[in-house]
Amino acid sequence: VLVSTSAPRAGILVTGTEVLTGVITDRNGPWLSERLRDLGVDAAVIEIVGDRPEDLAGALEHMRADGMTLIVTSGGLGPTADDLTAEIVARFCGREMFVDEALSERIDAIVRPLMARWPDVDAEAVRVANIKQATVPRGATVLEPVGTAPGLVVPPADGATGPTVVVLPGPPGELRPMWDVAVATEPFRSAIAGAPIYRTALMRLFGMPESEIAESLRAAEAGGLALDDLEITTCLRRGEIEIGTRFEPDAQPDYDRLVAYLAERHGALLFSPDGSTVDEQVATLLSDRTIAVAESCTAGLLAARLTDRPGSSAYFLGGGVVYSNAAKTDLAGVDPALIERVGAVSTEVAEALASGIARRFGASLGVGITGIAGPDGGTPDKPVGTVCISVWRHDRLTGDAGTFETRRMRLPGNRTDVRERSVTIAMHMLRETLTGDGSG
Amino acid sequence: VLVSTSAPRAGILVTGTEVLTGVITDRNGPWLSERLRDLGVDAAVIEIVGDRPEDLAGALEHMRADGMTLIVTSGGLGPTADDLTAEIVARFCGREMFVDEALSERIDAIVRPLMARWPDVDAEAVRVANIKQATVPRGATVLEPVGTAPGLVVPPADGATGPTVVVLPGPPGELRPMWDVAVATEPFRSAIAGAPIYRTALMRLFGMPESEIAESLRAAEAGGLALDDLEITTCLRRGEIEIGTRFEPDAQPDYDRLVAYLAERHGALLFSPDGSTVDEQVATLLSDRTIAVAESCTAGLLAARLTDRPGSSAYFLGGGVVYSNAAKTDLAGVDPALIERVGAVSTEVAEALASGIARRFGASLGVGITGIAGPDGGTPDKPVGTVCISVWRHDRLTGDAGTFETRRMRLPGNRTDVRERSVTIAMHMLRETLTGDGSG
């Protein structure tokens, strides 16, 4: 694992009591962190504070003390008196505030047509608000407003050292378009001078515990692979393991060897050596086929996931949410005697759902899911979490009889966990069927 | 607005490089902030740091310097060597680490059955991992594992002052159940001693812009209502306006008057004066009825939402995901000539879907949704975002012909926004039908 010590470091400071108290979910911190990473700059911290000026100033001081060369703030640029970010940053950078008259006029030109929609608004209050937003630190670079608030790039006072502060508005729709403009300014480039150029890459695995990956990386190193120049992060998400790696261009051969090693060691479990998602892969693989689904315990979640992508109507024909036994028979043609004999949660019924729904819609693939999501409905034989999934496909050899891939499993977690995990497993079973098969 | 100055303050410290780099979205920081608020403790900061030990230690020191009496951490309790939170917190609190043998055995008892699913896993590596997770600061209170990681409540060393640190695991499914246990411990209670006792209450409105609420609050004050002792936060979430209020018990009459005022002013738009969700209300209202749904653009999302709650099989009979026109006819009995004449996205087809799917399943209520989620498929007459929703119900007066409530609307946003908003509107239409009707 590579730790960069001399590289520039950045801090992200998100302001706003609504964000701090959980009323609004912060989307700026992670987004800014990713953008900085693209530039080769590690965010060392994301800090969220409320609208108290002393908390904002304190956070800036901590970041300076920790040696940040760049600080990016979001929020607190509105027209009201408690929007204090610009003023506090000016003081932090040792710069005085002044009214930028030309900027005030540009803000006025933006605000005037908006105001026409609310004839009762007090014109004097609007003028005061515009002047407030046009009051900026002397020597700062102004980033033109996307909404009504200008952004700022504020370098340390002349002759002083310390971080450059990029001040951006809170609404993501205003912050994001300003980012590239901020990055292009001279003080921003200076603040991140010396940042290495990184490449980033992602792999995904399915069907093994996360601890196995740590073991594989140890084995790779023991086997002579050079991993020192690869910065590897593993993470379990929606039942899949994601391996993210960042490296300088020189280390590309090391990374390629790691991918080859993991592909050899884990075979098909490394379903995505290139970072593509199972959803993308299934969508591509379905391009010349058609699919229908019959869902009991997942109740539409697989259909919703398969249609999440634009253009899915080309291959997704329809689905049945077959919660009751009558619905299983009515929509997917499952024989009531079969349900009577083996129970609704069984591999046999999953198969009957898969083939039945495919036939009903004339699809070349069908998926059937039946299970007990809980918390009630479990039995000693079929405890909560028991789920049966079957993928049926029309087959070149067996024709309309088709072939099945069917699994029965017991999934951990609560009702939501069982439902979501079932859908993910169904997506992977679909992927395997579509890659491994000889269907026509 | 009430500002508490002498009250204890807390810091929230979220750890994990995946969270810092934006790979995972942090859900713990805002959740913990809300829980602290319920206890009368303001979180002064949420800080997100990576897995670098010095960043974690530095953040703790900053929080101590800023006078926090309580620090809550999430993450870094896993079995691998870079999970260092417990050790760093021990050092911060001036406590040594030791292996809690009894805890190690309890973790072993949790892990052993899980390991049985992966027969190839190295038993020695598992043993080492269990001991790592059972190594805790001496004098800390152990919070029993929900997954495999125990949580901790770590007071300052004997005789020392400083914050008490609550150490929780990163996965929200493990962190949340541990919270109440942590709150009940003696060191936690001591750390927040002096916090005011607040009551919190929530109201929900649907079908009006958020700015209307600010106006209503101004009008309430102008009309003589006392709001000074109510700390009111409004927020637009999933298309609904949430009004959260925090107050000391003495202000209960003020709050009751506010609720009455808003109920009078906004009528049925204040669908939830008690904070209950539309999902809860619909589930209760459906108790003696049955429902089936036919979904085109939402493709199973409404069925999934209606079955999200345990026990929903009592009223939810089934659904059809009717993406193609053939599916609309086949599953919900929509006349192909009708689709030909008015188009698949039309109030007429929404009604035919609603009544057709109800008849098919013998349900007393049916919902039909058809629309253009985009990004493609829009026309000048029916642009992207056009959605038609109909709720059909069996009616005491009209019998099997039933009655409809049908709406055509144009929703803003991207594909996901349109799909999710459609489902929320359908839930509210269902609620209105179920409260306002005379169906049998």
Side-chain angles (χ1 to χ4, degrees):
Chain A
V1 176
L2 174 152
V3 177
S4 28
T5 47
S6 67
R9 293 172 88 212
I12 297 168
L13 181 53
V14 175
T15 73
T17 300
E18 309 87 0
V19 180
L20 179 62
T21 55
V23 172
I24 293 182
T25 302
D26 171 48
R27 289 159 56 205
N28 293 332
W31 188 86
L32 290 167
S33 181
E34 286 184 87
R35 294 295 79 68
L36 285 166
R37 208 173 151 80
D38 294 344
L39 296 171
V41 181
D42 283 319
V45 65
I46 299 173
E47 202 163 337
I48 304 173
V49 297
D51 294 324
R52 278 172 42 129
E54 54 271 45
D55 290 344
L56 183 52
L60 291 169
E61 290 301 342
H62 289 325
M63 290 185 186
R64 172 151 58 196
D66 288 345
M68 307 296 169
T69 55
L70 182 76
I71 299 173
V72 185
T73 74
S74 87
L77 293 183
T80 64
D82 60 347
D83 289 305
L84 287 167
T85 306
E87 195 180 323
I88 289 164
V89 168
R91 203 176 311 145
F92 174 74
C93 290
R95 295 182 176 275
E96 59 162 18
M97 298 288 275
F98 80 109
V99 179
D100 183 331
E101 296 290 352
L103 176 59
S104 173
E105 277 169 34
R106 295 201 297 279
I107 293 174
D108 200 53
I110 294 167
V111 170
R112 212 176 308 117
L114 298 177
M115 285 304 110
R117 295 164 61 190
W118 289 287
D120 295 340
V121 168
D122 178 355
E124 173 60 16
V126 171
R127 205 187 60 84
V128 170
N130 291 359
I131 290 176
K132 150 72 180 69
Q133 290 191 295
T135 307
V136 297
R138 202 175 288 282
T141 304
V142 170
L143 308 168
E144 286 303 307
V146 173
T148 64
L152 299 165
V153 180
V154 192
D158 300 333
T161 58
T164 289
V165 186
V166 179
V167 180
L168 299 173
E174 299 183 32
L175 174 140
R176 295 183 183 193
M178 266 186 209
W179 178 251
D180 286 340
V181 184
V183 169
T185 63
E186 193 283 319
F188 190 111
R189 307 303 321 181
S190 302
I192 66 160
I197 311 283
Y198 285 119
R199 291 182 187 167
T200 59
L202 196 65
M203 289 179 263
R204 294 173 202 270
L205 295 101
F206 183 75
M208 53 193 278
E210 193 182 2
S211 56
E212 276 289 284
I213 279 300
E215 180 56 35
S216 294
L217 294 175
R218 277 193 295 273
E221 260 188 319
L225 259 68
L227 302 185
D228 282 352
D229 294 335
L230 305 178
E231 195 180 334
I232 300 168
T233 315
T234 68
C235 145
L236 190 65
R237 183 148 53 174
R238 289 178 103 181
E240 297 172 356
I241 300 167
E242 294 184 0
I243 306 179
T245 308
R246 189 171 80 158
F247 49 91
E248 296 190 42
D250 285 353
Q252 182 74 49
D254 293 348
Y255 182 72
D256 295 342
R257 276 189 288 270
L258 174 64
V259 176
Y261 177 87
L262 293 176
E264 166 80 24
R265 184 177 170 103
H266 295 295
L269 300 187
L270 178 69
F271 72 92
S272 172
D274 64 353
S276 58
T277 63
V278 67
D279 297 63
E280 287 163 352
Q281 294 185 13
V282 165
T284 305
L285 291 162
L286 279 171
S287 63
D288 57 347
R289 292 181 173 84
T290 51
I291 187 167
V293 301
E295 304 176 68
S296 180
C297 61
T298 55
L301 289 173
L302 178 61
R305 187 155 167 188
L306 283 168
T307 57
D308 203 28
R309 306 170 59 78
S312 48
S313 56
Y315 46 79
F316 184 84
L317 299 187
V321 180
V322 290
Y323 232 49
S324 62
N325 287 348
K328 291 178 180 68
T329 298
D330 180 35
L331 294 194
V334 180
D335 181 355
L338 177 71
I339 298 177
E340 179 68 28
R341 199 169 67 244
V342 295
V345 177
S346 59
T347 53
E348 291 88 340
V349 169
E351 293 187 347
L353 288 171
S355 58
I357 202 74
R359 268 190 215 107
R360 164 140 223 150
F361 284 100
S364 61
L365 284 139
V367 182
I369 305 180
T370 177
I372 302 156
D376 307 314
T379 66
D381 277 358
K382 294 172 184 174
V384 167
T386 302
V387 178
C388 300
I389 304 179
S390 182
V391 176
W392 176 90
R393 64 181 165 85
H394 188 273
D395 190 284
R396 207 193 295 133
L397 300 173
T398 58
D400 287 347
T403 55
F404 295 96
E405 191 201 342
T406 307
R407 288 192 205 154
R408 176 181 163 144
M409 62 213 92
R410 181 164 169 205
L411 302 174
N414 62 23
R415 183 175 175 87
T416 303
D417 296 334
V418 169
R419 283 160 48 115
E420 289 184 354
R421 186 61 59 90
S422 299
V423 171
T424 295
I425 292 170
M427 291 298 287
H428 279 277
M429 288 176 66
L430 256 177
R431 194 194 66 82
E432 285 160 25
T433 295
L434 288 163
T435 47
D437 72 359
S439 72
Chain B
V1 176
L2 173 152
V3 177
S4 28
T5 47
S6 67
R9 293 173 86 212
I12 297 168
L13 180 53
V14 175
T15 73
T17 300
E18 310 85 357
V19 180
L20 179 61
T21 55
V23 173
I24 293 183
T25 302
D26 171 48
R27 289 160 55 205
N28 293 332
W31 189 87
L32 290 168
S33 181
E34 287 184 84
R35 294 295 78 68
L36 285 166
R37 207 176 150 79
D38 293 344
L39 296 171
V41 181
D42 283 317
V45 64
I46 299 173
E47 200 163 338
I48 305 172
V49 298
D51 294 324
R52 277 171 44 128
E54 54 271 46
D55 290 345
L56 183 51
L60 291 169
E61 290 300 342
H62 290 324
M63 290 184 185
R64 172 150 58 196
D66 287 345
M68 306 296 169
T69 54
L70 182 75
I71 299 173
V72 185
T73 74
S74 86
L77 293 182
T80 64
D82 60 345
D83 290 306
L84 287 167
T85 306
E87 195 180 323
I88 289 165
V89 168
R91 205 176 311 145
F92 174 75
C93 290
R95 294 182 176 275
E96 59 163 17
M97 298 287 276
F98 80 108
V99 179
D100 183 331
E101 296 289 352
L103 176 59
S104 172
E105 277 168 34
R106 294 200 297 279
I107 294 174
D108 199 53
I110 295 166
V111 170
R112 213 176 307 116
L114 299 177
M115 286 303 111
R117 293 165 63 190
W118 288 287
D120 295 340
V121 169
D122 178 357
E124 174 61 17
V126 171
R127 205 186 62 83
V128 170
N130 291 359
I131 290 176
K132 152 72 183 65
Q133 290 191 296
T135 307
V136 297
R138 201 176 288 284
T141 304
V142 169
L143 309 169
E144 286 303 307
V146 174
T148 64
L152 299 165
V153 181
V154 192
D158 301 331
T161 57
T164 289
V165 186
V166 179
V167 180
L168 299 173
E174 298 183 32
L175 174 141
R176 295 183 182 192
M178 265 185 209
W179 177 251
D180 286 340
V181 185
V183 169
T185 63
E186 192 282 320
F188 191 111
R189 307 302 322 179
S190 302
I192 66 162
I197 311 285
Y198 285 119
R199 289 182 189 168
T200 58
L202 196 64
M203 288 179 264
R204 295 173 202 270
L205 295 101
F206 183 74
M208 54 191 279
E210 193 181 2
S211 57
E212 276 289 286
I213 281 300
E215 181 56 35
S216 293
L217 294 175
R218 277 193 296 273
E221 259 189 320
L225 260 68
L227 303 185
D228 281 353
D229 294 335
L230 305 178
E231 195 180 332
I232 300 169
T233 317
T234 68
C235 146
L236 191 65
R237 185 146 46 181
R238 289 178 103 182
E240 298 171 356
I241 300 168
E242 294 183 2
I243 306 180
T245 308
R246 190 170 80 159
F247 49 91
E248 296 192 43
D250 286 353
Q252 183 74 49
D254 293 347
Y255 182 72
D256 294 342
R257 276 189 288 270
L258 175 64
V259 176
Y261 178 86
L262 293 177
E264 167 79 24
R265 185 178 170 103
H266 295 295
L269 300 188
L270 179 69
F271 72 92
S272 172
D274 63 354
S276 60
T277 63
V278 67
D279 298 63
E280 288 163 353
Q281 295 185 13
V282 165
T284 304
L285 290 163
L286 279 171
S287 62
D288 58 347
R289 292 181 173 84
T290 51
I291 186 167
V293 301
E295 304 177 67
S296 180
C297 61
T298 55
L301 290 173
L302 178 60
R305 187 155 165 186
L306 283 168
T307 57
D308 202 29
R309 305 170 59 80
S312 48
S313 56
Y315 46 79
F316 184 85
L317 299 187
V321 180
V322 291
Y323 231 50
S324 63
N325 287 347
K328 291 178 180 67
T329 298
D330 181 34
L331 293 194
V334 180
D335 181 355
L338 177 71
I339 298 177
E340 180 69 27
R341 198 168 67 246
V342 295
V345 177
S346 59
T347 53
E348 291 89 340
V349 169
E351 293 187 347
L353 287 172
S355 58
I357 202 74
R359 269 191 214 107
R360 162 139 226 151
F361 284 100
S364 61
L365 284 138
V367 182
I369 304 181
T370 175
I372 302 157
D376 307 315
T379 66
D381 277 0
K382 294 171 184 172
V384 166
T386 302
V387 178
C388 300
I389 304 179
S390 182
V391 177
W392 175 91
R393 62 182 167 85
H394 188 275
D395 190 285
R396 206 193 297 131
L397 301 172
T398 58
D400 286 347
T403 54
F404 295 95
E405 190 201 343
T406 307
R407 288 191 205 155
R408 176 182 162 142
M409 62 214 89
R410 181 161 171 209
L411 302 174
N414 63 23
R415 182 176 176 87
T416 302
D417 296 334
V418 169
R419 284 160 47 115
E420 288 183 355
R421 185 62 59 87
S422 300
V423 171
T424 295
I425 292 170
M427 292 297 288
H428 280 277
M429 289 176 65
L430 256 177
R431 194 193 67 81
E432 286 160 24
T433 294
L434 287 163
T435 47
D437 72 0
S439 71

